[in-house]
Amino acid sequence: MERLRVGVVLGGMSSEREVSLNSGRNVFDNLDREAYDPKAIFMDGQGRLWVIPWQLISQNTTTDITERLETEARRIAYEELRQEIDFAFISLHGKFGEDGCMQGLLELLRIPYTGPGVLASALGMDKHIQQMILRAEGIGVPDSDLIHEDQWRSDRPGVTAMLLGRFKLPLVTKPPREGSSIGVTLVRDEASLVRGMEEALKWDKAVLVEEFLEGTEFSSIILEEEGEPQALEVTEITPESEYFTYDDKYMPGRCRKFTPPKNIPAPAVAAIKQEAVRAFKALGFRSYGRIDGFYLADGRVLITDPNSASGMAPSSFFFEQAACAGMLPSMIIGRLIENALVIHKGKNGPL
Ligand SMILES: Nc1ncnc2c1ncn2[C@@H]1O[C@H](COP(=O)(O)OP(=O)(O)O)[C@@H](O)[C@H]1O
Ligand SMILES: [Mg+2]
């Protein structure tokens, strides 16, 4: 039998390219060789694509790989991708990879891929627009305000006073279109508000300011089964820092996670799954997604971070929740590919 040629696309141009490398090589290693013929496709910092030999993906950083591209990899033009692969497993994270750009390119090339189409992928990246949609659907989200860079630059004292009047401290500032906790600040006083705004503006042209949620953070992987999105078992997160930071997320052994949750009562876990599926549908996600949020002391479930793609390192929520459902990494990876193929057959257009 001809095996499906699966291109695992990794690296990329975003702040999360190292996270992507970790996800992508794990997917590459766990692809079932009986069913699939994997190829590692590396996107460099300029957005160029390279077919890299498997020996290169075990390098420590994308910089190490980049240094060896000219001698050990094969550069391919975008339009040649169609001759190389039958399916794209998008392991890119963040800007240009997760946000509809790569999806748009694959649509032009008629290559099916993991995750949703162009529009939902773009929505998956934008926390401000997501909140507007979820609010309209009656799904709980934190109280928030979007401050544009020019607004901030032209009247810092005025914006500061407005924010301190509107939100109780602490509050949270973040770039609306980043991931992996990059640019997020927990603001405890006026001085750290200024720092938080400036930090977020390093990454984006606007800052999303949110009320600080005190409660238990959760992450819920949604998997589409024959067209119906279903929640796997939920994970409860116990960060080691005062919030779930980049190091908490990716440093081995750093913080505790519980799948299923230990400190969230069963009816609330059921409510989380229900809200996560509702958010998945409201944003038009397909194939799979990861919906994160908080369970508050007053019993409310709020959605803070819906993702149309998920980290896939060995200890990720994705594989932890798959394991809880009895699926080996190779099994859930195969499920994603198969459901994405069906979804693409049923589509009419790139969205
Ligand atoms: N409104 C909030 N209240 C409390 N903690 C928050 C809030 N927003 C974000 N955080 C903390 O910051 C982390 C990263 O923020 P998040 O919105 O999930 O962005 P990212 O896309 O970078 O994961 C969260 O996992 C959570 O621990
Ligand atoms: Mg998050």
Side-chain angles (χ1 to χ4, degrees):
M1 207 183 76
E2 279 284 290
R3 290 176 306 160
L4 189 79
R5 296 172 307 165
V6 174
V8 180
V9 192
L10 73 177
M13 301 160 75
S14 80
S15 59
E16 292 179 275
R17 56 192 175 273
E18 307 303 336
V19 180
S20 162
L21 174 58
N22 254 356
S23 287
R25 62 177 150 220
N26 190 43
V27 169
F28 183 88
D29 288 346
N30 281 293
L31 266 170
D32 176 3
R33 266 54 180 177
E34 304 254 306
Y36 308 111
D37 176 15
K39 202 172 258 185
I41 310 285
F42 182 77
M43 182 189 275
D44 70 18
Q46 293 152 63
R48 299 176 304 182
L49 299 181
W50 303 76
V51 177
I52 61 171
W54 65 265
Q55 289 91 339
L56 268 194
I57 68 170
S58 59
Q59 293 297 301
N60 193 31
T61 67
T62 58
T63 308
D64 301 315
I65 295 177
T66 301
E67 280 174 0
R68 292 168 62 173
L69 288 173
E70 291 290 349
T71 48
E72 291 168 60
R74 182 161 55 84
R75 166 94 193 274
I76 50 169
Y78 289 152
E79 62 270 30
E80 287 162 5
L81 199 54
R82 190 69 192 90
Q83 283 101 63
E84 300 283 340
I85 61 173
D86 307 309
F87 183 89
F89 198 108
I90 303 177
S91 287
L92 298 170
H93 294 304
K95 288 188 177 109
F96 305 104
E98 196 178 320
D99 61 359
C101 290
M102 190 65 199
Q103 291 76 4
L105 175 65
L106 293 167
E107 291 288 348
L108 290 170
L109 298 170
R110 299 279 190 273
I111 300 173
Y113 54 87
T114 46
V118 174
L119 176 62
S121 295
L123 287 176
M125 222 23 227
D126 194 314
K127 294 187 176 77
H128 172 61
I129 309 283
Q130 285 172 347
Q131 288 182 352
M132 291 169 54
I133 294 172
L134 298 185
R135 255 187 222 114
E137 289 287 317
I139 296 169
V141 294
D143 186 18
S144 68
D145 206 345
L146 186 78
I147 307 294
H148 291 278
E149 182 171 23
D150 44 1
Q151 212 180 332
W152 172 248
R153 299 261 173 257
S154 63
D155 184 15
R156 262 170 53 163
V159 172
T160 302
M162 184 277 287
L163 290 173
L164 292 176
R166 170 156 180 199
F167 295 97
K168 278 196 316 221
L169 291 173
L171 53 79
V172 176
T173 51
K174 57 177 88 165
R177 294 159 294 212
E178 275 295 329
S180 291
S181 301
I182 287 163
V184 173
T185 305
L186 204 166
V187 170
R188 293 201 175 278
D189 51 36
E190 191 172 329
S192 62
L193 175 59
V194 173
R195 277 200 305 277
M197 297 294 287
E198 294 296 340
E199 179 58 30
L201 287 171
K202 287 183 192 159
W203 304 97
D204 210 324
K205 301 300 284 179
V207 184
L208 189 63
V209 181
E210 287 180 0
E211 65 170 317
F212 176 76
L213 302 175
E214 206 146 356
T216 307
E217 192 167 354
F218 64 80
S219 184
S220 174
I221 299 287
I222 308 293
L223 189 59
E224 215 176 293
E225 305 256 18
E226 289 168 7
E228 247 333 285
Q230 293 184 357
L232 298 182
E233 204 39 89
V234 173
T235 303
E236 170 187 330
I237 302 155
T238 317
E240 204 166 289
S241 317
E242 48 183 5
Y243 66 96
F244 196 33
T245 60
Y246 187 92
D247 286 354
D248 280 355
K249 287 179 178 179
Y250 304 120
M251 260 169 71
R254 169 90 175 188
C255 74
R256 304 287 313 272
K257 298 185 287 179
F258 304 106
T259 313
K262 234 174 147 175
N263 302 301
I264 306 177
V269 173
I272 287 170
K273 289 182 182 175
Q274 193 185 323
E275 289 304 277
V277 168
R278 284 220 297 148
F280 183 96
K281 287 182 177 169
L283 296 168
F285 287 179
R286 298 299 308 269
S287 170
Y288 83 107
R290 203 190 76 229
I291 313 290
D292 302 341
F294 281 80
Y295 168 62
L296 306 185
D298 63 11
R300 281 182 303 151
V301 171
L302 298 192
I303 304 297
T304 51
D305 185 20
N307 300 282
S308 62
S310 183
M312 294 195 191
S315 69
S316 56
F317 300 120
F318 185 77
F319 291 119
E320 191 164 327
Q321 293 182 22
C324 205
M327 283 183 275
L328 288 164
S330 60
M331 291 158 75
I332 190 163
I333 288 169
R335 288 271 278 278
L336 284 199
I337 295 172
E338 298 310 320
N339 81 16
L341 285 169
V342 173
I343 288 165
H344 279 265
K345 280 211 182 80
K347 273 173 49 165
N348 184 0
L351 300 184

